[in-house]
Amino acid sequence: MDTFQTPSDPPPANALTPQALHACFLGPYGENDTLLEKLVVEFLRDHVYWRRNFHPEDPPAIPTGAAQHPAYLELEARMRRELHALSAALKRSVPFHSPRYIGHMASDLLLPGLAAQLLTLPYNPNNVCEDAAPVTVDLEVKVGLQLARMLGYPADPDKRGCAFGHLTSGGTVANYQALRLALALKAFPVALRASGVAVEMAGACDAFDDDWQAFNLSVDDGIALVEQWQQWLATLSPEDATRWRVRVQSERIETLGLTGFFSRHPTLRVPCVYAPVTAHYSWSKGLKLLGLGRAQLSLLPERDMRLDADALEEALQRCVRARQPVLMAVGVLGTTEHGMIDPVDRIVDARDRFQAQGLGFSVHVDAAWGGYLATMFRNPDGSLRTRAQVGEGLENFPGEAVHAAFAALGRTDSVTVDPHKLGYLPYGAGAFVCRDHRAMTLLSEEADYVFNGPAADDYMTRFRQLGQYIPEGSKAGASAAAVYVMHKVLPLDHAQFGQLPRQTVLAAEAFRRRAEQAAHELSDVAHLCVPFAPDSNLVCVAINLAGNRDVEHANRFVRTLHDDLRCDPARPLQVKEFFGSMTTLRAASLGERRLRRILGALDLDPTSMGAATDHLVILRHTLMNPYLIDANNGISYIDRYFDYLSGRIRAFARAA
Ligand SMILES: *Cc1c(COP(=O)(O)O)cnc(C)c1O
């Protein structure tokens, strides 16, 4: 029974208007307090009625007079004391909701998601499997399909190669899941070959005749092989099928471990992962966790702040020559430090070319930050929008390379997206989505047949046993409810959800213009510039006081500026005018020449950039708050921020 509408529902008739947007968030001032309160009270009562209606004939177990007992009152008082203390302490929290917060990747929360989460919490569903979450497991699998559609993956669960996605605690675990799946898929054909089954399975032996070939199939060939193997098993007697299953299982990397597997296949090297030099540290964590080791993470240089596709090409050529297998190439859609968009199109092109040369690997896009920007590129019918359509009313976005990157998402093998970042939902909601669900069977703790018998063919039935496939065990069904409801209220296309990231791009463009104006206004006391053209909604600003030529000194100055922009639990929140963050620029990201040009623009001496200081410290601003430009009151918090920053810079200049 499907009590929920499916992802193919007709979309809302009209685009999301600014007036409709007013109902989306609790608001910087808590403007929508009565709306949220109404929803919380309504659904809390609804929950209580549900409890009562389970067996209304059961009398209340807690006596009706219990609340008058002194011991009850004492405990209530203790509870209140602790809650008051907590509530008081939480006042020192970071004011993510405020348009004065332009630091890290956090902002206000979308009401439909927040309300759905609060509504679901007292039911406490556990999305480890449908027995513990008959409703919300379904919602989680559907969230996977909603995201798949946004990314351009096949999203019809009745079709064979449909995508699959699930939620995780965050992008870190989603990235880990991508590594786990890629390794399972890469090593499976080797196990199949070692078990001797490939010879038995008609046709499969055509695919490879040594370990190197088996370890280097393309993702699609690997998936086809898994499917062929399952179909072949179905033709055997139950005894034979079990015998072969056990034999293949005993050869799998998941059974043998890395040591066992590679010592059994001495001609194979441990595969490596390519990622850009600014990749999030979750990649290092993931390789350590998987046991492949941090040394297998090869960081590629960037060119103009994006992964250098030529460097990837050269690295892959070296791999072919050295017979060095590659597990995965990672592109980042919205780098954590700089918000830049890697050339996903060129990465998948390289994959296709090297696959033809016998070097198969998977392509994963870490879109923890930028994933939801894809809504701007999607029509309500699911088709891709042209660059001109996406860019209507915007100054630079999307650059040609940026559009090409988003257009290529459907050709990648898996993607990480964080609903708790640009999806404006509570932590922890990350998501992993793979293009073809058929690979997932390799991750299951027990073969599908144990659970589902022949019915395992049914997509929804299979993935309701979510715990079989995910790295975690017990997990919050309330998160799945939040993401699902948010996606239903604001469908993931440009006319609906896409209006939110569009606001962020508009804000970033306004921010950049204002930075250029500030540079002009401050030219008597400081050099200020936007060091690289932003790809999306993160804008960095580099600053140096006039007269200084030393990079280390400039870095110290920017750190001092940043001290006033960062969270400081020791001081009252209200003394803080704005929140910003800080990052660095290095030659490895920018290229030597461009870095020199920026140093020049700041009147810094390039020779002062030495071994001790190999980077330039810059301010970093995440422009995701929907109220940065408050049209209602005619206030631009972007203007106010630059007024504030200019005041600080002038004060330092006077003191110097
Ligand atoms: C935030 C981020 C991550 C990690 O995600 P968490 O949700 O913090 O675990 C990974 N990659 C990128 C690009 C990110 O921006």
Side-chain angles (χ1 to χ4, degrees):
M1 185 184 66
D2 190 353
T3 47
F4 281 87
Q5 301 161 297
T6 59
S8 56
D9 284 339
N14 302 308
L16 193 71
T17 59
Q19 292 73 27
L21 258 172
H22 286 152
C24 284
F25 293 93
L26 181 54
Y29 196 75
E31 294 88 335
N32 283 319
D33 58 338
T34 35
L35 173 55
L36 181 60
E37 197 175 303
K38 231 166 44 187
L39 295 173
V40 169
V41 171
E42 176 181 342
F43 291 108
L44 179 63
R45 286 184 181 150
D46 204 33
H47 172 79
V48 169
Y49 301 148
W50 174 73
R51 290 192 173 205
R52 290 179 185 177
N53 283 317
F54 176 50
H55 274 285
E57 72 277 20
D58 296 348
I62 300 170
T64 40
Q68 274 82 52
H69 195 279
Y72 181 107
L73 294 170
E74 209 285 315
L75 198 115
E76 181 184 334
R78 222 191 305 163
M79 184 153 44
R80 278 183 187 283
R81 271 198 304 279
E82 287 307 321
L83 289 174
H84 287 153
L86 172 67
S87 182
L90 285 172
K91 301 299 176 290
R92 282 183 283 132
S93 297
V94 184
F96 294 137
H97 61 275
S98 168
R100 290 170 182 266
Y101 184 86
I102 46 176
H104 295 287
M105 297 165 158
S107 185
D108 205 353
L109 298 173
L110 276 169
L111 272 185
L114 181 61
Q117 190 151 345
L118 292 171
L119 186 168
T120 311
L121 274 176
Y123 296 87
N124 198 27
N126 177 356
N127 270 22
V128 70
C129 66
E130 77 176 321
D131 287 352
V135 178
T136 50
V137 156
D138 246 46
L139 301 188
E140 180 158 346
V141 178
K142 286 178 180 169
V143 161
L145 295 170
Q146 292 167 330
L147 291 171
R149 188 171 186 273
M150 171 184 87
L151 299 166
Y153 283 166
D156 178 354
D158 293 331
K159 300 255 163 66
R160 266 173 76 227
C162 180
F164 167 70
H166 62 81
L167 297 175
T168 57
S169 64
T172 300
V173 175
N175 285 342
Y176 172 65
Q177 179 76 329
L179 286 169
R180 211 163 73 105
L181 181 62
L183 185 63
L185 196 55
K186 194 165 191 58
F188 180 74
V190 178
L192 212 53
R193 195 179 113 79
S195 73
V197 78
V199 187
E200 305 270 331
M201 264 167 66
C205 41
D206 302 344
F208 43 85
D209 35 51
D210 61 17
D211 274 352
W212 168 259
Q213 281 187 17
F215 205 47
N216 277 290
L217 296 189
S218 70
V219 167
D220 287 336
D221 287 347
I223 289 171
L225 195 66
V226 172
E227 199 171 43
Q228 199 182 342
W229 147 251
Q230 286 173 327
Q231 284 164 356
W232 180 71
L233 281 180
T235 66
L236 304 182
S237 69
E239 298 75 31
D240 282 349
T242 304
R243 197 163 50 82
W244 277 114
R245 253 188 221 111
V246 170
R247 240 160 99 172
V248 171
Q249 197 66 24
S250 71
E251 294 290 343
R252 288 190 53 190
I253 200 164
E254 289 80 2
T255 304
L256 295 169
L258 293 184
T259 321
F261 182 84
F262 286 102
S263 60
R264 250 213 196 22
H265 303 281
T267 62
L268 293 180
R269 290 202 202 170
V270 179
C272 67
V273 171
Y274 284 105
V277 65
T278 59
H280 190 265
Y281 68 121
S282 53
W283 289 102
S284 160
K285 283 187 189 175
L287 278 146
K288 288 194 272 186
L289 197 53
L290 203 59
L292 284 176
R294 171 70 181 73
Q296 269 47 254
L297 179 61
S298 298
L299 296 178
L300 293 168
E302 295 181 339
R303 183 187 291 170
D304 293 344
M305 313 298 291
R306 305 183 187 129
L307 180 131
D308 182 347
D310 294 333
L312 173 64
E313 182 91 21
E314 284 160 28
L316 292 172
Q317 262 154 16
R318 282 196 300 276
C319 288
V320 172
R321 283 196 297 272
R323 283 171 90 79
Q324 166 64 52
V326 178
L327 180 61
M328 171 186 284
V330 180
V332 184
L333 210 73
T335 55
T336 316
E337 292 307 312
H338 307 116
M340 300 301 280
I341 310 288
D342 281 340
V344 177
D345 50 317
R346 297 199 54 196
I347 302 172
V348 287
D349 284 347
R351 175 201 59 193
D352 293 351
R353 269 198 316 281
F354 279 87
Q355 203 164 283
Q357 294 182 42
L359 186 77
F361 56 89
S362 59
V363 171
H364 178 80
V365 174
D366 183 355
W369 170 246
Y372 279 96
L373 290 170
T375 53
M376 295 174 72
F377 296 76
R378 232 7 98 194
N379 282 311
D381 69 3
S383 60
L384 189 75
R385 306 182 81 216
T386 64
R387 188 175 160 220
Q389 287 171 327
V390 180
E392 208 186 309
L394 302 173
E395 205 175 317
N396 300 310
F397 187 88
E400 213 167 304
V402 169
H403 187 269
F406 279 91
L409 282 178
R411 294 168 61 205
T412 64
D413 298 301
S414 53
V415 176
T416 290
V417 188
D418 269 358
H420 67 205
K421 281 185 177 166
L422 217 40
Y424 299 90
L425 290 178
Y427 299 110
F432 168 78
V433 192
C434 61
R435 177 171 44 87
D436 190 326
H437 78 276
R438 289 173 295 178
M440 290 303 294
T441 182
L442 294 178
L443 290 187
S444 76
E445 269 304 300
E446 304 207 29
D448 282 339
Y449 63 91
V450 174
F451 285 90
N452 304 313
D457 280 350
D458 174 46
Y459 182 97
M460 291 306 286
T461 308
R462 169 180 310 188
F463 289 121
R464 280 185 192 119
Q465 303 299 333
L466 208 51
Q468 285 299 312
Y469 304 97
I470 57 176
E472 298 109 321
S474 297
K475 63 200 214 97
S479 281
V483 185
Y484 178 83
V485 168
M486 188 278 272
H487 288 175
K488 292 300 282 191
V489 175
L490 298 172
L492 303 178
D493 58 61
H494 84 96
Q496 296 292 322
F497 187 93
Q499 294 300 309
L500 289 173
R502 187 170 187 278
Q503 291 302 317
T504 73
V505 171
L506 279 168
E509 290 183 344
F511 190 93
R512 188 182 174 193
R513 283 194 301 273
R514 188 61 183 82
E516 278 153 14
Q517 185 191 330
H520 184 70
E521 291 162 359
L522 286 168
S523 57
D524 54 325
V525 290
H527 306 282
L528 183 148
C529 72
V530 174
F532 55 91
D535 266 353
S536 56
N537 44 21
L538 255 71
V539 187
C540 294
V541 171
I543 308 165
N544 179 34
L545 281 183
N548 172 55
R549 304 223 57 213
D550 181 58
V551 172
E552 201 164 332
H553 194 267
N555 286 350
R556 229 171 311 140
F557 171 65
V558 173
R559 282 180 204 280
T560 309
L561 277 179
H562 176 249
D563 279 341
D564 287 330
L565 293 169
R566 68 202 238 178
C567 171
D568 179 0
R571 297 171 67 205
L573 200 59
Q574 286 75 9
V575 304
K576 190 118 305 191
E577 289 291 329
F578 282 91
F579 282 82
S581 58
M582 196 185 79
T583 185
T584 56
L585 275 182
R586 288 164 203 274
S589 299
L590 208 52
E592 201 70 53
R593 240 190 37 240
R594 298 224 16 215
L595 185 59
R596 276 171 178 271
R597 205 178 323 141
I598 289 162
L599 295 181
L602 297 170
D603 196 32
L604 287 167
D605 178 4
T607 61
S608 68
M609 187 105 146
T613 320
D614 65 342
H615 59 266
L616 182 70
V617 177
I618 56 177
L619 295 179
R620 164 181 174 271
H621 310 92
T622 308
L623 299 158
M624 71 181 288
N625 189 287
Y627 308 100
L628 286 167
I629 300 165
D630 173 2
N632 189 32
N633 296 299
I635 296 173
S636 161
Y637 286 91
I638 294 168
D639 284 342
R640 292 199 168 178
Y641 172 70
F642 277 100
D643 292 345
Y644 163 78
L645 193 65
S646 303
R648 298 296 298 152
I649 294 171
R650 284 197 183 279
F652 279 112
R654 274 195 302 277

